[in-house]
Amino acid sequence: VSDQVTHPAPDRMSEAVARDLLENSWIDVQSHTKTHRVLSEATDEKIKEELVESKKTLEGLFGRPIDYLAYPTGNIDQRAVDQAQEAGYHLAFITSYKKLKNLAEGPYTMPREKISRTSDNLFEFWVKISGIYRAFKRQRHLALRAQS
């Protein structure tokens, strides 16, 4: 969330912390929009602003391409998908298969695994990153979609 990097709250990542992380080749910083707005509830103009301004700000701060986007809350619609592509992102991620709704899975609607400091123990973390969890969730999503 680019506004939080440039104007950090005590519990958010600052520009200095992001720069420190970027010194590690295993870590990357990408976009999560400008203000963490729920894009499916925003106007077309606000969606564009959230995506374009975040990309522009982060590229300016870190001097590197910002190619990936994680949609806030995963709540998106076709307008957000189209705007992400138009803004120049190469891939964009939703939080789960159920957030796809009627959208097709593709480069701008890729489900990701949510890992947080409060929701996962070590075994759950391993299951999520191993691919087992993703395979199960995808099969479940496809079965439910076939029923409807």
Side-chain angles (χ1 to χ4, degrees), residues 31-105:
S31 179
H32 197 46
T33 71
K34 180 181 175 190
T35 67
H36 207 264
R37 180 184 299 268
V38 177
L39 298 179
S40 62
E41 299 172 2
T43 65
D44 292 352
E45 295 78 24
K46 287 294 182 185
I47 294 171
K48 183 175 182 176
E49 178 184 330
E50 288 288 326
L51 302 179
V52 170
E53 291 300 317
S54 177
K55 187 174 189 338
K56 180 179 160 187
T57 298
L58 295 173
E59 286 176 341
L61 283 174
F62 303 125
R64 56 178 32 186
I66 300 298
D67 294 326
Y68 311 113
L69 167 69
Y71 299 109
T73 72
N75 290 318
I76 60 167
D77 55 24
Q78 190 62 52
R79 298 171 309 133
V81 172
D82 294 343
Q83 289 283 357
Q85 190 170 8
E86 288 176 27
Y89 293 99
H90 297 193
L91 298 172
F93 301 87
I94 58 174
T95 54
S96 69
Y97 284 102
K98 68 182 176 183
K99 300 288 185 167
L100 281 172
K101 300 173 188 145
N102 293 323
L103 298 171
E105 186 178 348

Coordinates of all heavy atoms in Angstrom, one line a residue, residues 31-105:
S31 N 3.0 -4.0 -5.6 CA 1.9 -3.2 -5.3 C 0.7 -3.9 -4.6 O 0.4 -5.0 -4.9 CB 1.4 -2.6 -6.6 OG 0.3 -1.7 -6.3
H32 N 0.1 -3.1 -3.7 CA -1.1 -3.6 -3.0 C -2.1 -2.4 -3.1 O -2.9 -2.2 -2.2 CB -0.8 -4.0 -1.6 CG -1.8 -4.8 -0.9 ND1 -2.5 -5.9 -1.5 CD2 -2.3 -4.7 0.4 CE1 -3.3 -6.4 -0.6 NE2 -3.3 -5.7 0.5
T33 N -2.0 -1.6 -4.1 CA -2.8 -0.4 -4.4 C -2.3 0.8 -3.6 O -1.3 0.7 -2.8 CB -4.3 -0.5 -4.2 OG1 -4.6 -0.6 -2.8 CG2 -4.9 -1.6 -5.0
K34 N -2.9 2.0 -3.8 CA -2.5 3.2 -3.1 C -2.9 3.3 -1.7 O -2.2 3.6 -0.8 CB -3.0 4.4 -3.9 CG -2.6 5.7 -3.4 CD -3.2 6.9 -4.3 CE -2.9 8.2 -3.6 NZ -3.7 9.3 -4.3
T35 N -4.2 3.0 -1.5 CA -4.8 3.2 -0.1 C -5.5 2.0 0.5 O -6.1 2.1 1.5 CB -5.8 4.4 -0.1 OG1 -7.0 4.0 -0.9 CG2 -5.2 5.7 -0.6
H36 N -5.4 0.8 -0.2 CA -6.1 -0.4 0.2 C -7.6 -0.3 0.0 O -8.4 -1.0 0.7 CB -5.7 -0.8 1.7 CG -5.8 -2.2 2.0 ND1 -6.9 -2.8 2.5 CD2 -4.9 -3.2 1.8 CE1 -6.7 -4.1 2.7 NE2 -5.5 -4.4 2.2
R37 N -8.1 0.4 -0.9 CA -9.5 0.5 -1.2 C -10.0 -0.8 -1.8 O -9.4 -1.5 -2.5 CB -9.7 1.7 -2.2 CG -11.2 1.9 -2.7 CD -11.2 3.0 -3.7 NE -10.7 4.2 -3.3 CZ -11.4 5.2 -2.8 NH1 -12.7 5.0 -2.6 NH2 -10.9 6.3 -2.4
V38 N -11.3 -1.1 -1.4 CA -11.9 -2.3 -2.0 C -12.3 -1.9 -3.5 O -13.2 -1.1 -3.7 CB -13.2 -2.7 -1.2 CG1 -13.9 -3.9 -1.9 CG2 -12.8 -3.1 0.2
L39 N -11.7 -2.5 -4.4 CA -11.8 -2.0 -5.8 C -13.2 -2.3 -6.4 O -13.6 -1.5 -7.2 CB -10.7 -2.7 -6.7 CG -9.3 -2.3 -6.3 CD1 -8.3 -3.0 -7.2 CD2 -9.1 -0.8 -6.3
S40 N -13.8 -3.4 -6.0 CA -15.2 -3.7 -6.5 C -16.2 -2.7 -6.1 O -17.3 -2.6 -6.7 CB -15.6 -5.1 -6.1 OG -15.7 -5.2 -4.7
E41 N -15.9 -1.9 -5.1 CA -16.8 -0.8 -4.6 C -16.4 0.6 -5.1 O -17.1 1.6 -4.7 CB -16.9 -0.9 -3.1 CG -17.4 -2.2 -2.5 CD -17.2 -2.3 -1.0 OE1 -16.8 -1.3 -0.4 OE2 -17.6 -3.3 -0.5
A42 N -15.3 0.7 -5.9 CA -14.8 2.0 -6.3 C -15.3 2.4 -7.7 O -15.7 1.5 -8.5 CB -13.3 2.0 -6.3
T43 N -15.3 3.7 -8.0 CA -15.6 4.1 -9.3 C -14.5 3.8 -10.2 O -13.3 3.5 -9.8 CB -15.8 5.7 -9.3 OG1 -14.5 6.3 -9.0 CG2 -16.9 6.1 -8.4
D44 N -14.7 3.8 -11.5 CA -13.7 3.5 -12.5 C -12.5 4.5 -12.3 O -11.3 4.0 -12.4 CB -14.2 3.7 -13.9 CG -15.2 2.7 -14.3 OD1 -15.4 1.7 -13.6 OD2 -15.8 2.8 -15.4
E45 N -12.7 5.7 -12.0 CA -11.6 6.7 -11.8 C -10.8 6.4 -10.6 O -9.6 6.5 -10.6 CB -12.2 8.1 -11.7 CG -12.9 8.6 -13.0 CD -14.3 8.1 -13.2 OE1 -15.0 7.7 -12.2 OE2 -14.7 8.0 -14.3
K46 N -11.5 5.9 -9.5 CA -10.7 5.6 -8.3 C -9.9 4.3 -8.5 O -8.8 4.2 -7.9 CB -11.7 5.5 -7.1 CG -12.2 6.8 -6.6 CD -11.1 7.6 -6.0 CE -11.6 8.9 -5.5 NZ -10.5 9.8 -5.0
I47 N -10.5 3.3 -9.2 CA -9.7 2.1 -9.5 C -8.4 2.5 -10.2 O -7.3 2.0 -9.8 CB -10.6 1.1 -10.3 CG1 -11.7 0.6 -9.5 CG2 -9.7 -0.1 -10.8 CD1 -12.7 -0.2 -10.3
K48 N -8.6 3.3 -11.3 CA -7.4 3.7 -12.0 C -6.4 4.4 -11.1 O -5.2 4.1 -11.2 CB -7.8 4.6 -13.2 CG -6.6 5.0 -14.1 CD -7.1 5.8 -15.3 CE -5.9 6.1 -16.2 NZ -6.4 6.8 -17.4
E49 N -6.8 5.3 -10.3 CA -5.9 6.1 -9.4 C -5.2 5.1 -8.5 O -4.0 5.2 -8.3 CB -6.7 7.1 -8.6 CG -5.9 7.9 -7.6 CD -6.8 8.8 -6.8 OE1 -7.8 9.3 -7.3 OE2 -6.4 9.0 -5.6
E50 N -6.0 4.2 -7.9 CA -5.4 3.2 -6.9 C -4.2 2.4 -7.6 O -3.2 2.2 -6.9 CB -6.4 2.3 -6.4 CG -7.4 2.9 -5.4 CD -6.8 3.2 -4.1 OE1 -5.9 2.4 -3.6 OE2 -7.2 4.2 -3.4
L51 N -4.5 2.0 -8.8 CA -3.5 1.1 -9.4 C -2.3 1.9 -10.0 O -1.2 1.5 -9.9 CB -4.2 0.3 -10.5 CG -5.4 -0.6 -10.0 CD1 -6.0 -1.4 -11.1 CD2 -4.9 -1.5 -8.9
V52 N -2.6 2.9 -10.8 CA -1.6 3.7 -11.4 C -0.7 4.4 -10.5 O 0.5 4.4 -10.6 CB -2.2 4.7 -12.5 CG1 -1.2 5.6 -13.0 CG2 -2.9 3.9 -13.6
E53 N -1.3 5.1 -9.5 CA -0.5 5.9 -8.5 C 0.4 5.0 -7.7 O 1.5 5.4 -7.3 CB -1.4 6.8 -7.7 CG -2.1 7.9 -8.4 CD -1.1 8.8 -9.1 OE1 -0.1 9.2 -8.4 OE2 -1.3 9.2 -10.2
S54 N -0.1 3.9 -7.2 CA 0.7 2.9 -6.4 C 1.9 2.5 -7.2 O 3.1 2.5 -6.8 CB -0.1 1.7 -6.0 OG 0.7 0.8 -5.3
K55 N 1.7 2.1 -8.5 CA 2.8 1.6 -9.3 C 3.8 2.7 -9.5 O 5.0 2.5 -9.4 CB 2.2 1.1 -10.7 CG 3.2 0.5 -11.6 CD 2.5 -0.1 -12.8 CE 3.2 -0.9 -13.7 NZ 4.6 -0.9 -13.8
K56 N 3.3 3.9 -9.9 CA 4.2 5.1 -10.1 C 5.0 5.5 -8.9 O 6.2 5.7 -8.9 CB 3.3 6.2 -10.6 CG 4.1 7.5 -10.9 CD 3.1 8.6 -11.4 CE 3.6 9.9 -11.3 NZ 2.6 11.0 -11.6
T57 N 4.3 5.5 -7.7 CA 5.0 5.9 -6.5 C 6.1 4.9 -6.1 O 7.2 5.3 -5.8 CB 4.0 6.0 -5.3 OG1 3.0 7.0 -5.7 CG2 4.7 6.3 -4.0
L58 N 5.8 3.6 -6.2 CA 6.7 2.6 -5.8 C 7.9 2.5 -6.7 O 9.1 2.3 -6.3 CB 6.1 1.2 -5.6 CG 5.0 1.1 -4.5 CD1 4.3 -0.2 -4.5 CD2 5.7 1.4 -3.1
E59 N 7.6 2.6 -8.0 CA 8.7 2.6 -9.0 C 9.6 3.8 -8.8 O 10.9 3.7 -8.9 CB 8.2 2.6 -10.4 CG 7.6 1.3 -10.8 CD 6.9 1.3 -12.2 OE1 6.6 2.3 -12.7 OE2 6.8 0.1 -12.7
G60 N 9.1 5.0 -8.4 CA 9.9 6.2 -8.2 C 10.7 6.0 -6.9 O 11.9 6.4 -6.9
L61 N 10.1 5.5 -5.9 CA 10.8 5.3 -4.6 C 12.0 4.3 -4.7 O 13.1 4.5 -4.2 CB 9.9 4.8 -3.5 CG 8.9 5.8 -2.9 CD1 8.0 5.0 -1.9 CD2 9.7 6.8 -2.1
F62 N 11.7 3.2 -5.4 CA 12.7 2.1 -5.4 C 13.5 1.9 -6.6 O 14.4 1.1 -6.7 CB 12.0 0.8 -5.0 CG 11.3 0.9 -3.7 CD1 9.9 0.6 -3.6 CD2 11.9 1.3 -2.5 CE1 9.3 0.7 -2.4 CE2 11.3 1.4 -1.3 CZ 9.9 1.1 -1.2
G63 N 13.2 2.7 -7.7 CA 13.9 2.6 -8.9 C 13.9 1.3 -9.6 O 14.9 0.9 -10.2
R64 N 12.8 0.6 -9.5 CA 12.7 -0.8 -10.1 C 11.3 -1.0 -10.6 O 10.4 -0.3 -10.1 CB 13.1 -1.9 -9.1 CG 12.3 -1.8 -7.8 CD 12.7 -2.9 -6.8 NE 14.0 -3.3 -6.9 CZ 14.5 -4.3 -6.2 NH1 13.8 -5.0 -5.4 NH2 15.8 -4.6 -6.3
P65 N 11.1 -1.9 -11.5 CA 9.7 -2.1 -12.0 C 8.8 -2.7 -11.0 O 9.2 -3.5 -10.2 CB 9.9 -3.1 -13.2 CG 11.4 -3.1 -13.5 CD 12.1 -2.6 -12.2
I66 N 7.6 -2.2 -11.0 CA 6.5 -2.8 -10.1 C 5.6 -3.5 -11.1 O 4.8 -2.9 -11.8 CB 5.8 -1.7 -9.3 CG1 6.8 -1.0 -8.4 CG2 4.6 -2.3 -8.5 CD1 7.4 -1.9 -7.3
D67 N 5.7 -4.8 -11.2 CA 5.0 -5.6 -12.2 C 3.8 -6.4 -11.6 O 3.0 -6.9 -12.4 CB 6.0 -6.6 -12.9 CG 7.0 -5.9 -13.7 OD1 6.7 -4.8 -14.2 OD2 8.2 -6.4 -13.7
Y68 N 3.7 -6.5 -10.3 CA 2.7 -7.4 -9.7 C 1.9 -6.6 -8.7 O 2.3 -5.7 -8.1 CB 3.4 -8.6 -9.0 CG 4.5 -9.2 -9.9 CD1 5.8 -9.1 -9.6 CD2 4.1 -9.9 -11.1 CE1 6.8 -9.7 -10.4 CE2 5.0 -10.5 -11.9 CZ 6.4 -10.4 -11.6 OH 7.3 -10.9 -12.4
L69 N 0.6 -7.1 -8.6 CA -0.4 -6.5 -7.8 C -1.1 -7.5 -7.0 O -1.5 -8.5 -7.5 CB -1.4 -5.7 -8.7 CG -2.7 -5.2 -8.1 CD1 -2.4 -4.1 -7.1 CD2 -3.6 -4.8 -9.2
A70 N -1.3 -7.3 -5.7 CA -2.2 -8.1 -4.9 C -3.4 -7.2 -4.6 O -3.2 -6.2 -3.9 CB -1.5 -8.5 -3.6
Y71 N -4.5 -7.6 -5.1 CA -5.7 -6.8 -4.8 C -6.1 -6.8 -3.3 O -6.1 -7.8 -2.7 CB -6.9 -7.4 -5.6 CG -6.8 -7.5 -7.1 CD1 -6.6 -8.7 -7.7 CD2 -6.9 -6.3 -7.9 CE1 -6.5 -8.8 -9.1 CE2 -6.8 -6.4 -9.2 CZ -6.6 -7.6 -9.8 OH -6.5 -7.7 -11.2
P72 N -6.4 -5.6 -2.8 CA -6.9 -5.6 -1.4 C -8.1 -6.4 -1.2 O -9.1 -6.3 -2.0 CB -7.1 -4.1 -1.1 CG -6.3 -3.4 -2.2 CD -6.3 -4.3 -3.4
T73 N -8.2 -7.2 -0.2 CA -9.3 -8.1 0.2 C -9.7 -9.1 -0.9 O -10.5 -9.9 -0.7 CB -10.6 -7.3 0.6 OG1 -11.2 -6.7 -0.6 CG2 -10.3 -6.2 1.6
G74 N -9.1 -9.0 -2.1 CA -9.4 -9.9 -3.2 C -10.7 -9.6 -3.9 O -11.1 -10.3 -4.8
N75 N -11.5 -8.6 -3.4 CA -12.8 -8.3 -4.0 C -12.6 -7.4 -5.2 O -12.3 -6.2 -5.1 CB -13.6 -7.5 -2.9 CG -14.1 -8.4 -1.8 OD1 -14.4 -9.6 -2.1 ND2 -14.0 -8.0 -0.6
I76 N -12.8 -8.0 -6.4 CA -12.6 -7.3 -7.6 C -13.7 -7.6 -8.6 O -14.5 -8.5 -8.3 CB -11.2 -7.7 -8.3 CG1 -11.2 -9.3 -8.6 CG2 -10.1 -7.3 -7.5 CD1 -10.1 -9.7 -9.5
D77 N -13.7 -6.9 -9.7 CA -14.7 -7.2 -10.7 C -13.9 -7.0 -12.0 O -12.7 -6.7 -12.0 CB -15.9 -6.3 -10.7 CG -15.6 -4.8 -10.6 OD1 -14.5 -4.4 -11.0 OD2 -16.4 -4.0 -10.1
Q78 N -14.5 -7.1 -13.2 CA -13.8 -7.0 -14.5 C -13.2 -5.7 -14.7 O -12.1 -5.6 -15.3 CB -14.8 -7.3 -15.6 CG -14.1 -7.5 -17.0 CD -13.1 -8.6 -17.0 OE1 -13.5 -9.8 -16.6 NE2 -11.9 -8.4 -17.4
R79 N -13.8 -4.6 -14.1 CA -13.1 -3.3 -14.2 C -11.7 -3.2 -13.6 O -10.8 -2.7 -14.2 CB -14.0 -2.2 -13.6 CG -15.4 -2.1 -14.2 CD -16.3 -1.2 -13.4 NE -16.3 -1.5 -12.0 CZ -16.2 -0.7 -11.0 NH1 -16.1 0.6 -11.2 NH2 -16.3 -1.1 -9.7
A80 N -11.6 -3.8 -12.4 CA -10.3 -3.9 -11.8 C -9.3 -4.7 -12.6 O -8.1 -4.3 -12.7 CB -10.4 -4.4 -10.4
V81 N -9.7 -5.8 -13.1 CA -8.9 -6.7 -13.9 C -8.4 -5.9 -15.2 O -7.2 -5.8 -15.5 CB -9.6 -7.9 -14.4 CG1 -8.8 -8.7 -15.4 CG2 -10.0 -8.8 -13.2
D82 N -9.3 -5.2 -15.8 CA -9.0 -4.4 -17.0 C -8.0 -3.3 -16.7 O -7.0 -3.0 -17.4 CB -10.2 -3.8 -17.7 CG -11.1 -4.9 -18.3 OD1 -10.6 -6.1 -18.5 OD2 -12.3 -4.6 -18.5
Q83 N -8.3 -2.6 -15.6 CA -7.4 -1.5 -15.2 C -6.0 -1.9 -14.7 O -5.0 -1.2 -15.0 CB -8.1 -0.7 -14.0 CG -9.3 0.1 -14.4 CD -9.0 1.4 -15.2 OE1 -7.8 1.8 -15.3 NE2 -10.0 2.1 -15.6
A84 N -5.9 -3.1 -14.1 CA -4.6 -3.6 -13.7 C -3.8 -3.9 -15.0 O -2.6 -3.5 -15.0 CB -4.8 -4.9 -12.9
Q85 N -4.4 -4.4 -16.0 CA -3.7 -4.7 -17.3 C -3.3 -3.4 -17.9 O -2.1 -3.2 -18.4 CB -4.5 -5.5 -18.2 CG -3.8 -6.0 -19.4 CD -4.6 -7.1 -20.2 OE1 -5.8 -7.3 -19.9 NE2 -4.0 -7.6 -21.2
E86 N -4.2 -2.4 -18.0 CA -3.9 -1.1 -18.6 C -2.9 -0.3 -17.9 O -2.1 0.4 -18.5 CB -5.2 -0.3 -18.7 CG -6.2 -0.8 -19.7 CD -7.5 0.0 -19.7 OE1 -7.5 1.2 -19.3 OE2 -8.5 -0.6 -20.1
A87 N -2.8 -0.5 -16.5 CA -1.8 0.2 -15.7 C -0.4 -0.4 -15.9 O 0.6 0.2 -15.5 CB -2.1 0.1 -14.2
G88 N -0.3 -1.5 -16.6 CA 1.0 -2.1 -16.9 C 1.5 -3.2 -15.9 O 2.7 -3.6 -16.0
Y89 N 0.6 -3.7 -15.1 CA 1.0 -4.9 -14.3 C 1.1 -6.1 -15.2 O 0.3 -6.2 -16.1 CB 0.0 -5.1 -13.1 CG 0.0 -4.0 -12.1 CD1 -1.0 -3.0 -12.2 CD2 0.9 -3.9 -11.1 CE1 -1.0 -1.9 -11.2 CE2 0.9 -2.9 -10.2 CZ 0.0 -1.9 -10.2 OH 0.0 -0.9 -9.3
H90 N 1.9 -7.1 -14.8 CA 2.1 -8.3 -15.6 C 1.2 -9.4 -15.0 O 0.8 -10.3 -15.7 CB 3.5 -8.7 -15.6 CG 4.4 -7.7 -16.3 ND1 5.6 -8.0 -16.7 CD2 4.2 -6.5 -16.7 CE1 6.2 -7.0 -17.4 NE2 5.3 -6.0 -17.4
L91 N 1.0 -9.4 -13.6 CA 0.2 -10.4 -12.9 C -0.5 -9.7 -11.8 O 0.0 -8.7 -11.2 CB 1.1 -11.5 -12.3 CG 1.9 -12.4 -13.3 CD1 2.8 -13.3 -12.5 CD2 1.0 -13.2 -14.1
A92 N -1.7 -10.2 -11.4 CA -2.4 -9.7 -10.3 C -3.0 -10.8 -9.5 O -3.5 -11.8 -10.1 CB -3.4 -8.7 -10.7
F93 N -3.1 -10.7 -8.2 CA -3.5 -11.8 -7.3 C -4.7 -11.5 -6.5 O -4.8 -10.4 -6.0 CB -2.3 -12.2 -6.4 CG -1.1 -12.6 -7.1 CD1 -0.2 -11.6 -7.5 CD2 -0.9 -13.9 -7.5 CE1 1.0 -12.0 -8.2 CE2 0.3 -14.3 -8.2 CZ 1.2 -13.3 -8.6
I94 N -5.6 -12.5 -6.4 CA -6.8 -12.4 -5.5 C -6.5 -13.2 -4.3 O -5.5 -14.0 -4.2 CB -8.1 -12.8 -6.2 CG1 -7.9 -14.3 -6.7 CG2 -8.4 -11.9 -7.3 CD1 -9.2 -14.9 -7.3
T95 N -7.3 -13.2 -3.2 CA -7.0 -13.9 -2.0 C -7.5 -15.3 -2.0 O -7.0 -16.1 -1.2 CB -7.6 -13.1 -0.8 OG1 -9.0 -12.9 -1.0 CG2 -6.9 -11.8 -0.6
S96 N -8.5 -15.7 -2.8 CA -8.9 -17.1 -2.8 C -9.7 -17.3 -4.1 O -10.2 -16.4 -4.8 CB -9.8 -17.3 -1.6 OG -11.0 -16.6 -1.7
Y97 N -10.0 -18.6 -4.4 CA -10.7 -19.0 -5.6 C -12.2 -18.4 -5.5 O -12.7 -18.0 -6.5 CB -10.8 -20.5 -5.7 CG -9.5 -21.0 -6.3 CD1 -8.6 -21.6 -5.5 CD2 -9.2 -20.9 -7.6 CE1 -7.4 -22.1 -6.0 CE2 -8.0 -21.4 -8.2 CZ -7.1 -22.0 -7.3 OH -5.9 -22.5 -7.8
K98 N -12.7 -18.4 -4.3 CA -14.1 -17.9 -4.2 C -14.3 -16.4 -4.6 O -15.3 -16.0 -5.0 CB -14.7 -18.1 -2.8 CG -14.1 -17.3 -1.7 CD -14.7 -17.7 -0.4 CE -14.0 -17.0 0.7 NZ -14.5 -17.3 2.0
K99 N -13.2 -15.7 -4.6 CA -13.2 -14.3 -5.0 C -13.3 -14.1 -6.5 O -13.6 -13.1 -7.0 CB -12.0 -13.5 -4.5 CG -11.8 -13.5 -3.0 CD -12.8 -12.6 -2.3 CE -12.5 -12.6 -0.8 NZ -13.3 -11.5 -0.2
L100 N -13.0 -15.2 -7.2 CA -13.2 -15.1 -8.7 C -14.6 -14.8 -9.1 O -14.8 -14.2 -10.2 CB -12.7 -16.5 -9.3 CG -11.2 -16.7 -9.4 CD1 -11.0 -18.2 -9.9 CD2 -10.6 -15.7 -10.4
K101 N -15.6 -15.3 -8.4 CA -17.0 -15.2 -8.7 C -17.1 -15.6 -10.2 O -16.9 -16.8 -10.4 CB -17.4 -13.7 -8.5 CG -17.3 -13.3 -7.0 CD -17.6 -11.9 -6.8 CE -17.2 -11.5 -5.4 NZ -16.7 -10.2 -5.3
N102 N -17.5 -14.8 -11.1 CA -17.7 -15.2 -12.5 C -16.5 -14.9 -13.4 O -16.6 -15.0 -14.6 CB -19.0 -14.5 -13.0 CG -20.2 -15.0 -12.4 OD1 -20.3 -16.2 -12.0 ND2 -21.2 -14.1 -12.1
L103 N -15.4 -14.4 -12.8 CA -14.2 -14.1 -13.6 C -13.5 -15.4 -13.9 O -13.4 -16.3 -13.1 CB -13.3 -13.1 -12.8 CG -14.0 -11.8 -12.5 CD1 -13.0 -11.0 -11.5 CD2 -14.2 -11.0 -13.7
A104 N -12.8 -15.4 -15.0 CA -12.0 -16.5 -15.4 C -10.7 -16.4 -14.7 O -10.1 -15.3 -14.5 CB -11.8 -16.6 -16.9
E105 N -10.1 -17.5 -14.3 CA -8.8 -17.5 -13.7 C -7.8 -17.2 -14.8 O -7.8 -17.8 -15.9 CB -8.5 -18.9 -13.1 CG -7.2 -18.9 -12.3 CD -6.9 -20.3 -11.7 OE1 -7.8 -21.1 -11.7 OE2 -5.8 -20.5 -11.3

